[in-house]
Amino acid sequence: MTVLSIIRKTCSYSNTKIVAMDPVLIRNSVTLAAETKAAVSGEIPAIGRKWVGRWLFGCSGMVFGAVVIGGLTRLTESGLSMTDWHLFGKRPPWSRAEWEKEFAQYQQYPEYQLKNKGMTLEEFKFIWWMEYGHRQWGRTIGTFFLFPAAYFWHKGWFNKAMKKRVFAMGALIGFQGLLGWYMVKSGLEDRFKDPSDVPRVSQYRLSAHLGSAFVLYSLFLWNALEFSFPAQSIKQASLQTLKFRKLAHFTKGWVFLTALSGNINYLIHLHKAKKINSMLPMDFFSYFLLDIWSYPLKNVCTLDLEKRVMGTTAVCLATALAVWSRRVPMPPRAYTAANTLGAMAWMQVGLGISTLLLYVPVSLAAMHQSGSLLTLSFAIWLTHELKHLPKLYR
């Protein structure tokens, strides 16, 4: 029985003749009835799923933007221009005197003393604004996440499992801010003694900061897909389909590590990619014997080699999934996801080679970094579309 029929029946009992019904009243009544039914059954109403999905997609897009802006900040060597940190940020300098005070503070740290000595105030303003924009973007993500989350929580549009995820994502956003400052602080420490040293942040703290950003992005995207585009199902699933699903998850993990290793390899643009035409850098063995344990995470040559090997493996895995998907029964959207992942992997290879051959121009390097996150996105989409296969096969 529809809401309209109930209203008509009720009105007939009171001898009231209904001539016409207000469309807005009907729509509001239907919405209220749907929300009441969803609340009683513990399900999220359709309107709630729509808006929560949009919000999660927006959050994932903003984290995507933060990774790109962070890469640009690193490529322009702007990350150490702000030498202090405030929880809610600080206003930019307004007068020349304030700019000179900020510049004088920067001059007390290793990056200026060992690398940028003689920098003008105008040059300092550029790198300062880059870092300021990166930090403010991170704070904007926190605001964009917090207020809608509080509203949706109040509306009852989060089930028990989603409440735990929202809490985890909020905690991870806060952790990102603290970890970002902890990373920057490593580049401001007085540990660069030799004049040939290049002041930079710790690669270990950088990997932790970037890795947590990737995890946060993955959480937002996965849950956005869950709300807006629930995984499709099929009537039959073979053993080959389950093997395909395992390979898809492995590929997703490998793409994640490859993207992380590529961004950790930020030193390469300073050293202009030694022997870019050689698969094995010429300095590999000479440096390896000096520091065998921490060598893979310290030396540019090794980082370059690791990145190339991991990238080659990633594109092979993505290509194998695209080819194999034609012979495996899967949900319809999974085929599109597999083919898109394969195509994106090859585009990423082309961007990576072009970036190295042209000695890392900022524009191409930014596109290459964005491509790594897009490749991860398509891998997440593929595994999301395959999430119901084990249940079907059992």
Side-chain angles (χ1 to χ4, degrees), residues 343-356:
M344 187 65 227
W346 279 103
M347 288 179 62
Q348 182 67 352
V349 168
L351 282 172
I353 294 174
S354 301
T355 302
L356 287 178

Side-chain angles (χ1 to χ4, degrees), residues 72-296:
L72 288 171
T73 303
R74 189 168 66 251
L75 287 166
T76 55
E77 302 176 38
S78 307
L80 300 178
S81 58
M82 295 183 67
T83 56
D84 55 5
W85 185 81
H86 304 274
L87 180 60
F88 298 105
K90 66 176 183 179
R91 68 171 180 81
W94 287 348
S95 64
R96 183 174 180 84
E98 290 179 342
W99 274 113
E100 289 177 348
K101 181 181 178 181
E102 191 76 25
F103 190 27
Q105 189 173 343
Y106 171 70
Q107 291 173 344
Q108 299 173 13
Y109 289 90
E111 184 175 69
Y112 176 82
Q113 296 171 355
L114 297 178
K115 180 172 171 289
N116 289 338
K117 210 156 194 177
M119 171 183 279
T120 65
L121 180 60
E122 293 302 316
E123 291 172 335
F124 170 72
K125 286 182 179 180
F126 172 78
I127 63 173
W128 192 93
W129 279 116
M130 287 293 298
E131 175 62 11
Y132 181 79
H134 181 47
R135 295 190 187 187
Q136 292 304 110
W137 186 269
R139 292 183 175 93
T140 304
I141 292 174
T143 304
F144 187 84
F145 171 84
L146 181 61
F147 289 103
Y151 176 76
F152 296 151
W153 195 303
H154 173 72
K155 291 285 288 184
W157 290 351
F158 295 148
N159 56 27
K160 186 176 180 180
M162 189 59 193
K163 287 180 178 179
K164 294 179 181 179
R165 296 176 197 169
V166 168
F167 181 81
M169 288 184 286
L172 193 53
I173 290 175
F175 176 71
Q176 267 292 91
L178 294 174
L179 191 56
W181 169 243
Y182 181 63
M183 176 192 68
V184 170
K185 191 177 178 182
S186 66
L188 302 174
E189 296 170 351
D190 188 21
R191 59 188 178 91
F192 308 99
K193 304 296 183 181
D194 194 281
S196 62
D197 284 344
V198 179
R200 56 177 177 264
V201 300
S202 166
Q203 64 267 44
Y204 308 110
R205 299 184 192 183
L206 172 63
S207 62
H209 182 56
L210 192 61
S212 60
F214 283 176
V215 171
L216 181 62
Y217 172 77
S218 301
L219 286 173
F220 278 136
L221 182 59
W222 180 276
N223 286 282
L225 291 169
E226 186 69 17
F227 274 85
S228 298
F229 303 99
Q232 296 175 319
S233 60
I234 57 175
K235 295 181 179 180
Q236 295 181 350
S238 65
L239 182 60
Q240 291 298 314
T241 309
L242 294 182
K243 291 181 178 180
F244 181 89
R245 179 179 179 272
K246 291 180 180 179
L247 180 61
H249 277 287
F250 179 80
T251 302
K252 178 178 67 175
W254 191 267
V255 169
F256 181 97
L257 293 176
T258 303
L260 186 60
S261 70
N263 285 280
I264 294 173
N265 192 14
Y266 68 102
L267 294 175
I268 197 170
H269 79 278
L270 297 174
H271 293 262
K272 301 302 181 184
K274 296 180 181 179
K275 295 296 289 183
I276 58 174
N277 293 323
S278 173
M279 183 63 184
L280 184 65
M282 64 181 300
D283 295 335
F284 179 80
F285 291 108
S286 60
Y287 285 111
F288 179 79
L289 296 176
L290 297 178
D291 191 358
I292 189 171
W293 299 111
S294 59
Y295 178 83

